[in-house]
Amino acid sequence: MEELRAQVRGTVLLPADVGFEQAARPWNVAVAQTVSAVVEVADAVDVAAVLRYAAGAGRRVVTQPTGHGATGDIEDAILVRTGALDHVEIAADRRVARVGAGVQWGAVQSAAAAHGLTGLAGSNPVVGVTGYTLGGGFGWFARKYGWAANAVRAFEIVDAAGRRGRVTAESDPELFWALRGGGGDFAIVTELEFDLFPLPRLYGGRVMWSGERTRAAFELFAELTADAPAELSIWLQRYQIPGAAPTVAIDLAYLGDPAEGRALTSRLDRLDGVLADTRGVLTPAQIGRITAEPTDPSPSLSRGELLTDLGDAVVKTLIDAPTAPLLNIQLRGLGGALAQALPDGGARGPVLEPYALYLLGLPSPADAVRTRFGEIVDALGPHVTGAKPYTFLAPGESAAAAFDRETLGRLKEIKQARDPHGVIRANFPLHG
């Protein structure tokens, strides 16, 4: 590893070094990562040096800007951190952003908001743009504008042989297709260029009630999502925080005039007993306020699924049963642009299921949480399709669950052609 140290300008940390443990720890601190080295690269030249070294030494390279998608299955790999690649450039006249691989969505949204623009960000401002986008990426604006991956115009990459390049639909259509939603198994991305979208007004927030209102809140959620325009996204959240009473919330974001957003969601005002109501006018930089998710590293276990409907089995399993031992049961209304097949789209094709389910628990007691995950999925039976967005995958799951058979086969062929020796390894590899 001293040879590697001599080849990069950034910092190389080995297991005996001070700071190694912290540098190797992902955002989800419940995931253990046993890596041989952590390289905090200074630039794309460093990335190329790491890949050339790894190819010669027979090692694998895993890239984690933030570690939100960490699985722990990267033993003896070299972990590359790209936090220093943090530049954000906004070309407001062309509605385009250029960002380094270490940039988080909050920085993009703040820069774009100054021009009345938004990226297709997720719900948490500290999630990295690169990993989110490579996996498809869907958040509050996806029903209107689709997958974040399909908004990408170009990638700056380093391939498995350590060669730098720019990938566009014209320069390398196969790799461009794979990078847009196929995961990070093909090259290391050092910069992205993607479209921004006009967002002069945004209305959103959360309405929360005590747990006794769960069934009534669910019925409102079902009503609203059944006829919501593409500009309106709605999520249902059931919470059971240890030591606190259960609660239920409806979160929403509307891309348009606040008065219209208020009118479209006025049915929420029919349900009394409101504990909190944060609905109001937001900027694109403030979308993290809607769900107020943790922004500091924390431990968790999760599972995501796609649902065919909100029928009796869903009500019995997800609404009438207690939330505990889980922390959160989340339902998201999908549809809109997410369900549309694009002739020039990337590997992340349409999702035809109308709802997504996300389950969250603490890693202690891990056995009870995992058991409950299994019980819920078993009880839902055919209402769970088994397919899921790439970004919903959890440790222990295979990338195969995120793609249909034809797409998975094509992605594997591209992987074999571009990285036959498996130097680059995604958190969820195609061969896993």
Side-chain angles (χ1 to χ4, degrees):
M1 288 293 181
E2 290 305 319
E3 179 186 348
L4 176 60
R5 232 177 210 141
Q7 293 178 9
V8 301
R9 294 195 304 115
T11 302
V12 177
L13 294 169
L14 305 181
D17 294 335
V18 175
F20 172 83
E21 185 177 344
Q22 178 65 31
R25 185 176 296 134
W27 193 89
N28 183 354
V29 297
V31 175
Q33 300 198 130
T34 308
V35 296
S36 60
V38 178
V39 184
E40 297 171 344
V41 296
D43 50 29
V45 176
D46 272 3
V47 174
V50 172
L51 283 167
R52 287 194 296 269
Y53 169 85
R59 293 183 180 271
R60 297 174 298 166
V61 177
V62 176
T63 307
Q64 289 179 1
T66 63
H68 276 79
T71 66
D73 185 22
I74 57 173
E75 185 174 357
D76 205 36
I78 298 171
L79 178 61
V80 170
R81 297 289 194 193
T82 56
L85 283 63
D86 60 356
H87 58 281
V88 177
E89 303 170 21
I90 304 295
D93 57 332
R94 296 187 296 122
R95 297 209 296 254
V96 170
R98 287 174 62 94
V99 308
V103 172
Q104 299 174 357
W105 270 115
V108 176
Q109 293 301 95
S110 294
H115 305 283
L117 300 171
T118 184
L120 301 185
S123 55
N124 192 321
V126 301
V127 168
V129 174
T130 305
Y132 171 91
T133 303
L134 290 175
F138 74 108
W140 287 116
F141 310 139
R143 281 176 33 80
K144 175 64 175 178
Y145 294 118
W147 299 99
N150 285 336
V152 176
R153 293 187 174 195
F155 298 91
E156 297 290 336
I157 62 102
V158 182
D159 69 13
R163 297 171 300 219
R164 296 172 62 187
R166 180 175 174 84
V167 178
T168 67
E170 293 74 29
S171 70
D172 194 337
E174 276 292 279
L175 185 56
F176 186 65
W177 173 84
L179 290 172
R180 288 190 301 159
D185 229 8
F186 314 97
I188 292 184
V189 172
T190 58
E191 182 180 274
L192 303 94
E193 180 178 315
F194 53 88
D195 289 325
L196 299 172
F197 299 86
L199 187 63
R201 307 297 295 276
L202 173 65
Y203 174 80
R206 161 174 290 177
V207 185
M208 178 175 283
W209 301 267
S210 65
E212 290 82 3
R213 297 291 195 275
T214 297
R215 174 66 84 94
F218 168 76
E219 291 172 354
L220 287 173
F221 169 78
E223 285 182 26
L224 288 167
T225 54
D227 58 9
E231 292 80 7
L232 177 62
S233 292
I234 303 171
W235 301 356
L236 178 79
Q237 312 263 17
R238 292 189 66 195
Y239 290 107
Q240 179 59 76
I241 307 301
T247 56
V248 62
I250 289 180
D251 300 333
L252 62 96
Y254 177 68
L255 286 70
D257 183 82
E260 294 176 357
R262 184 82 192 192
L264 283 167
T265 59
S266 61
R267 280 174 275 191
L268 299 179
D269 299 323
R270 300 192 321 228
L271 187 56
D272 60 6
V274 173
L275 299 178
D277 186 347
T278 66
R279 288 176 293 175
V281 179
L282 301 172
T283 71
Q286 296 171 328
I287 58 173
R289 295 183 183 182
I290 298 175
T291 54
E293 296 169 10
T295 54
D296 292 325
S298 57
S300 66
L301 298 173
S302 64
R303 180 159 180 172
E305 301 289 348
L306 294 175
L307 297 176
T308 60
D309 58 77
L310 297 179
D312 292 343
V314 171
V315 174
K316 180 179 179 181
T317 306
L318 302 179
I319 304 304
D320 292 345
T323 304
L326 306 187
L327 288 177
N328 178 219
I329 296 175
Q330 179 193 93
L331 289 170
R332 299 187 186 187
L334 302 180
L338 289 170
Q340 297 173 5
L342 302 177
D344 58 348
R348 176 64 273 167
V351 168
L352 302 181
E353 294 88 344
Y355 295 95
L357 167 66
Y358 187 73
L359 307 172
L360 184 71
L362 289 173
S364 179
D367 288 345
V369 170
R370 291 193 179 99
T371 297
R372 186 61 184 139
F373 287 168
E375 291 172 347
I376 287 174
V377 173
D378 289 345
L380 291 172
H383 303 277
V384 170
T385 64
K388 59 189 68 183
Y390 188 93
T391 48
F392 264 30
L393 294 172
E397 294 187 303
S398 168
F403 306 105
D404 61 48
R405 191 172 186 177
E406 181 180 352
T407 300
L408 184 64
R410 183 178 173 187
L411 289 171
K412 287 183 175 181
E413 289 177 0
I414 296 171
K415 172 67 173 178
Q416 179 62 29
R418 306 304 175 114
D419 184 16
H421 303 295
V423 177
I424 297 169
R425 188 191 188 283
N427 287 306
F428 297 97
L430 294 169
H431 57 74

Short mmCIF file of all heavy atoms in Angstrom, two decimals, residues 275-316:
data_model
loop_
_atom_site.label_atom_id
_atom_site.label_comp_id
_atom_site.label_asym_id
_atom_site.label_seq_id
_atom_site.Cartn_x
_atom_site.Cartn_y
_atom_site.Cartn_z
N LEU A 275 -51.58 17.23 15.45
CA LEU A 275 -50.48 17.51 16.38
C LEU A 275 -49.51 18.54 15.81
O LEU A 275 -48.90 19.30 16.56
CB LEU A 275 -49.71 16.22 16.70
CG LEU A 275 -50.49 15.09 17.36
CD1 LEU A 275 -49.59 13.88 17.56
CD2 LEU A 275 -51.06 15.55 18.70
N ALA A 276 -49.37 18.54 14.50
CA ALA A 276 -48.46 19.49 13.85
C ALA A 276 -48.87 19.64 12.40
O ALA A 276 -49.32 18.68 11.77
CB ALA A 276 -47.01 19.01 13.94
N ASP A 277 -48.70 20.84 11.87
CA ASP A 277 -49.00 21.11 10.46
C ASP A 277 -47.95 22.09 9.96
O ASP A 277 -47.96 23.27 10.30
CB ASP A 277 -50.40 21.70 10.32
CG ASP A 277 -50.82 21.86 8.85
OD1 ASP A 277 -49.94 21.75 7.97
OD2 ASP A 277 -52.01 22.10 8.60
N THR A 278 -47.01 21.59 9.14
CA THR A 278 -45.91 22.43 8.67
C THR A 278 -46.09 22.87 7.22
O THR A 278 -45.16 23.40 6.62
CB THR A 278 -44.57 21.68 8.78
OG1 THR A 278 -44.56 20.55 7.88
CG2 THR A 278 -44.33 21.19 10.21
N ARG A 279 -47.27 22.67 6.65
CA ARG A 279 -47.48 23.03 5.25
C ARG A 279 -47.26 24.52 5.01
O ARG A 279 -47.66 25.35 5.82
CB ARG A 279 -48.90 22.66 4.82
CG ARG A 279 -49.15 21.17 4.65
CD ARG A 279 -50.61 20.90 4.33
NE ARG A 279 -51.50 21.22 5.44
CZ ARG A 279 -52.82 21.16 5.38
NH1 ARG A 279 -53.41 20.80 4.25
NH2 ARG A 279 -53.55 21.46 6.44
N GLY A 280 -46.60 24.82 3.90
CA GLY A 280 -46.34 26.21 3.57
C GLY A 280 -45.51 26.31 2.31
O GLY A 280 -45.24 25.32 1.62
N VAL A 281 -45.09 27.53 1.99
CA VAL A 281 -44.27 27.79 0.81
C VAL A 281 -42.82 27.44 1.13
O VAL A 281 -42.28 27.82 2.16
CB VAL A 281 -44.38 29.26 0.38
CG1 VAL A 281 -43.50 29.53 -0.84
CG2 VAL A 281 -45.83 29.63 0.09
N LEU A 282 -42.19 26.69 0.22
CA LEU A 282 -40.81 26.28 0.37
C LEU A 282 -40.00 26.68 -0.85
O LEU A 282 -40.55 26.90 -1.93
CB LEU A 282 -40.71 24.75 0.53
CG LEU A 282 -41.47 24.11 1.70
CD1 LEU A 282 -41.42 22.59 1.56
CD2 LEU A 282 -40.87 24.55 3.03
N THR A 283 -38.69 26.74 -0.68
CA THR A 283 -37.79 26.86 -1.83
C THR A 283 -37.24 25.47 -2.13
O THR A 283 -37.32 24.57 -1.28
CB THR A 283 -36.62 27.81 -1.52
OG1 THR A 283 -35.73 27.16 -0.59
CG2 THR A 283 -37.12 29.12 -0.93
N PRO A 284 -36.65 25.27 -3.31
CA PRO A 284 -36.06 23.96 -3.60
C PRO A 284 -35.00 23.54 -2.59
O PRO A 284 -34.78 22.35 -2.37
CB PRO A 284 -35.45 24.15 -4.99
CG PRO A 284 -36.26 25.24 -5.61
CD PRO A 284 -36.62 26.16 -4.48
N ALA A 285 -34.37 24.53 -1.96
CA ALA A 285 -33.34 24.22 -0.97
C ALA A 285 -33.92 23.73 0.35
O ALA A 285 -33.18 23.24 1.21
CB ALA A 285 -32.47 25.44 -0.72
N GLN A 286 -35.23 23.86 0.52
CA GLN A 286 -35.86 23.53 1.79
C GLN A 286 -36.66 22.23 1.76
O GLN A 286 -37.37 21.93 2.72
CB GLN A 286 -36.78 24.67 2.23
CG GLN A 286 -36.05 25.98 2.51
CD GLN A 286 -37.00 27.15 2.72
OE1 GLN A 286 -38.09 27.20 2.13
NE2 GLN A 286 -36.60 28.09 3.55
N ILE A 287 -36.52 21.43 0.71
CA ILE A 287 -37.36 20.24 0.63
C ILE A 287 -37.05 19.22 1.72
O ILE A 287 -37.89 18.40 2.06
CB ILE A 287 -37.29 19.57 -0.76
CG1 ILE A 287 -35.85 19.18 -1.10
CG2 ILE A 287 -37.89 20.44 -1.82
CD1 ILE A 287 -35.74 18.36 -2.36
N GLY A 288 -35.85 19.29 2.29
CA GLY A 288 -35.52 18.40 3.38
C GLY A 288 -36.37 18.62 4.62
O GLY A 288 -36.47 17.74 5.48
N ARG A 289 -36.98 19.80 4.71
CA ARG A 289 -37.83 20.11 5.87
C ARG A 289 -39.12 19.28 5.87
O ARG A 289 -39.74 19.14 6.93
CB ARG A 289 -38.19 21.59 5.87
CG ARG A 289 -37.01 22.53 6.05
CD ARG A 289 -37.50 23.97 6.11
NE ARG A 289 -36.39 24.91 6.21
CZ ARG A 289 -36.54 26.24 6.31
NH1 ARG A 289 -37.77 26.76 6.32
NH2 ARG A 289 -35.48 27.02 6.39
N ILE A 290 -39.52 18.79 4.73
CA ILE A 290 -40.81 18.10 4.65
C ILE A 290 -40.81 16.88 5.56
O ILE A 290 -41.69 16.72 6.41
CB ILE A 290 -41.14 17.70 3.20
CG1 ILE A 290 -41.26 18.95 2.32
CG2 ILE A 290 -42.45 16.89 3.16
CD1 ILE A 290 -41.46 18.63 0.85
N THR A 291 -39.84 16.00 5.41
CA THR A 291 -39.78 14.79 6.22
C THR A 291 -38.84 14.92 7.41
O THR A 291 -38.89 14.11 8.33
CB THR A 291 -39.33 13.59 5.37
OG1 THR A 291 -38.10 13.91 4.73
CG2 THR A 291 -40.38 13.25 4.32
N ALA A 292 -37.95 15.93 7.37
CA ALA A 292 -37.01 16.16 8.48
C ALA A 292 -36.27 14.90 8.87
O ALA A 292 -36.16 14.54 10.04
CB ALA A 292 -37.74 16.76 9.68
N GLU A 293 -35.73 14.20 7.88
CA GLU A 293 -34.99 12.97 8.14
C GLU A 293 -33.65 13.28 8.80
O GLU A 293 -33.11 14.39 8.65
CB GLU A 293 -34.76 12.22 6.83
CG GLU A 293 -36.04 11.76 6.16
CD GLU A 293 -35.82 11.27 4.74
OE1 GLU A 293 -34.65 11.12 4.35
OE2 GLU A 293 -36.82 11.06 4.04
N PRO A 294 -33.07 12.32 9.53
CA PRO A 294 -31.77 12.56 10.18
C PRO A 294 -30.70 12.91 9.16
O PRO A 294 -30.64 12.33 8.07
CB PRO A 294 -31.47 11.21 10.85
CG PRO A 294 -32.79 10.55 11.02
CD PRO A 294 -33.61 10.98 9.85
N THR A 295 -29.86 13.86 9.51
CA THR A 295 -28.77 14.26 8.63
C THR A 295 -27.41 13.89 9.21
O THR A 295 -26.38 14.17 8.59
CB THR A 295 -28.82 15.77 8.35
OG1 THR A 295 -28.84 16.47 9.59
CG2 THR A 295 -30.06 16.12 7.54
N ASP A 296 -27.39 13.29 10.40
CA ASP A 296 -26.16 12.78 10.98
C ASP A 296 -26.14 11.26 10.84
O ASP A 296 -27.19 10.62 10.87
CB ASP A 296 -26.06 13.16 12.46
CG ASP A 296 -25.89 14.65 12.68
OD1 ASP A 296 -25.21 15.28 11.85
OD2 ASP A 296 -26.44 15.17 13.67
N PRO A 297 -24.95 10.68 10.70
CA PRO A 297 -24.87 9.22 10.61
C PRO A 297 -25.59 8.54 11.77
O PRO A 297 -25.52 8.98 12.92
CB PRO A 297 -23.36 8.96 10.67
CG PRO A 297 -22.75 10.20 10.11
CD PRO A 297 -23.63 11.32 10.59
N SER A 298 -26.28 7.45 11.44
CA SER A 298 -27.08 6.76 12.45
C SER A 298 -27.24 5.30 12.05
O SER A 298 -27.10 4.96 10.87
CB SER A 298 -28.45 7.42 12.61
OG SER A 298 -29.13 7.45 11.37
N PRO A 299 -27.57 4.42 13.00
CA PRO A 299 -27.76 3.01 12.68
C PRO A 299 -29.20 2.70 12.28
O PRO A 299 -30.14 3.26 12.85
CB PRO A 299 -27.39 2.31 13.99
CG PRO A 299 -27.81 3.29 15.04
CD PRO A 299 -27.59 4.66 14.45
N SER A 300 -29.38 1.82 11.32
CA SER A 300 -30.74 1.44 10.93
C SER A 300 -30.72 0.16 10.12
O SER A 300 -29.71 -0.24 9.56
CB SER A 300 -31.40 2.55 10.10
OG SER A 300 -30.74 2.72 8.86
N LEU A 301 -31.89 -0.48 10.06
CA LEU A 301 -32.17 -1.60 9.17
C LEU A 301 -33.35 -1.18 8.31
O LEU A 301 -34.27 -0.50 8.79
CB LEU A 301 -32.51 -2.87 9.94
CG LEU A 301 -31.43 -3.44 10.86
CD1 LEU A 301 -32.00 -4.59 11.68
CD2 LEU A 301 -30.22 -3.90 10.06
N SER A 302 -33.37 -1.59 7.05
CA SER A 302 -34.46 -1.15 6.18
C SER A 302 -34.83 -2.24 5.18
O SER A 302 -34.06 -3.17 4.93
CB SER A 302 -34.07 0.12 5.43
OG SER A 302 -32.98 -0.13 4.56
N ARG A 303 -36.01 -2.07 4.62
CA ARG A 303 -36.45 -2.93 3.53
C ARG A 303 -37.45 -2.15 2.69
O ARG A 303 -38.32 -1.46 3.22
CB ARG A 303 -37.11 -4.21 4.05
CG ARG A 303 -37.58 -5.14 2.94
CD ARG A 303 -37.75 -6.55 3.40
NE ARG A 303 -38.20 -7.44 2.33
CZ ARG A 303 -38.27 -8.76 2.44
NH1 ARG A 303 -37.92 -9.35 3.57
NH2 ARG A 303 -38.69 -9.49 1.43
N GLY A 304 -37.33 -2.25 1.38
CA GLY A 304 -38.24 -1.57 0.47
C GLY A 304 -38.91 -2.55 -0.47
O GLY A 304 -38.32 -3.56 -0.86
N GLU A 305 -40.15 -2.25 -0.84
CA GLU A 305 -40.91 -3.10 -1.75
C GLU A 305 -41.82 -2.22 -2.60
O GLU A 305 -42.03 -1.04 -2.29
CB GLU A 305 -41.77 -4.12 -0.98
CG GLU A 305 -41.00 -5.06 -0.07
CD GLU A 305 -40.18 -6.10 -0.80
OE1 GLU A 305 -40.38 -6.25 -2.03
OE2 GLU A 305 -39.34 -6.76 -0.16
N LEU A 306 -42.36 -2.80 -3.66
CA LEU A 306 -43.36 -2.13 -4.48
C LEU A 306 -44.70 -2.84 -4.32
O LEU A 306 -44.75 -4.07 -4.26
CB LEU A 306 -42.94 -2.13 -5.94
CG LEU A 306 -41.68 -1.31 -6.27
CD1 LEU A 306 -41.28 -1.48 -7.73
CD2 LEU A 306 -41.90 0.17 -5.95
N LEU A 307 -45.78 -2.06 -4.23
CA LEU A 307 -47.12 -2.59 -3.97
C LEU A 307 -48.03 -2.44 -5.18
O LEU A 307 -47.98 -1.43 -5.88
CB LEU A 307 -47.76 -1.87 -2.78
CG LEU A 307 -47.07 -1.99 -1.42
CD1 LEU A 307 -47.79 -1.12 -0.40
CD2 LEU A 307 -47.05 -3.44 -0.96
N THR A 308 -48.89 -3.42 -5.36
CA THR A 308 -49.82 -3.39 -6.49
C THR A 308 -51.07 -2.58 -6.19
O THR A 308 -51.75 -2.12 -7.11
CB THR A 308 -50.25 -4.81 -6.86
OG1 THR A 308 -50.90 -5.42 -5.72
CG2 THR A 308 -49.06 -5.66 -7.27
N ASP A 309 -51.42 -2.40 -4.90
CA ASP A 309 -52.68 -1.74 -4.55
C ASP A 309 -52.67 -1.42 -3.06
O ASP A 309 -51.71 -1.71 -2.34
CB ASP A 309 -53.86 -2.64 -4.88
CG ASP A 309 -53.79 -3.98 -4.16
OD1 ASP A 309 -54.09 -4.01 -2.95
OD2 ASP A 309 -53.43 -5.00 -4.80
N LEU A 310 -53.78 -0.84 -2.60
CA LEU A 310 -53.97 -0.53 -1.18
C LEU A 310 -55.19 -1.28 -0.65
O LEU A 310 -56.00 -0.74 0.11
CB LEU A 310 -54.14 0.97 -0.97
CG LEU A 310 -52.96 1.86 -1.35
CD1 LEU A 310 -53.30 3.33 -1.11
CD2 LEU A 310 -51.70 1.47 -0.57
N GLY A 311 -55.31 -2.54 -1.02
CA GLY A 311 -56.48 -3.34 -0.66
C GLY A 311 -56.48 -3.80 0.79
O GLY A 311 -55.69 -3.35 1.62
N ASP A 312 -57.37 -4.74 1.08
CA ASP A 312 -57.59 -5.19 2.46
C ASP A 312 -56.33 -5.76 3.10
O ASP A 312 -56.08 -5.55 4.29
CB ASP A 312 -58.70 -6.25 2.49
CG ASP A 312 -60.06 -5.66 2.16
OD1 ASP A 312 -60.20 -4.42 2.23
OD2 ASP A 312 -60.98 -6.44 1.82
N ALA A 313 -55.53 -6.50 2.33
CA ALA A 313 -54.31 -7.08 2.89
C ALA A 313 -53.33 -5.99 3.33
O ALA A 313 -52.66 -6.12 4.36
CB ALA A 313 -53.65 -8.01 1.88
N VAL A 314 -53.25 -4.92 2.56
CA VAL A 314 -52.38 -3.81 2.90
C VAL A 314 -52.88 -3.11 4.16
O VAL A 314 -52.11 -2.79 5.07
CB VAL A 314 -52.29 -2.82 1.73
CG1 VAL A 314 -51.55 -1.56 2.15
CG2 VAL A 314 -51.59 -3.47 0.54
N VAL A 315 -54.18 -2.89 4.24
CA VAL A 315 -54.76 -2.23 5.41
C VAL A 315 -54.51 -3.07 6.67
O VAL A 315 -54.07 -2.55 7.71
CB VAL A 315 -56.27 -2.01 5.21
CG1 VAL A 315 -56.89 -1.45 6.49
CG2 VAL A 315 -56.52 -1.07 4.04
N LYS A 316 -54.79 -4.35 6.59
CA LYS A 316 -54.63 -5.23 7.75
C LYS A 316 -53.17 -5.29 8.20
O LYS A 316 -52.89 -5.26 9.41
CB LYS A 316 -55.12 -6.63 7.39
CG LYS A 316 -55.01 -7.63 8.53
CD LYS A 316 -55.53 -9.00 8.11
CE LYS A 316 -55.40 -10.01 9.25
NZ LYS A 316 -55.90 -11.36 8.83
#
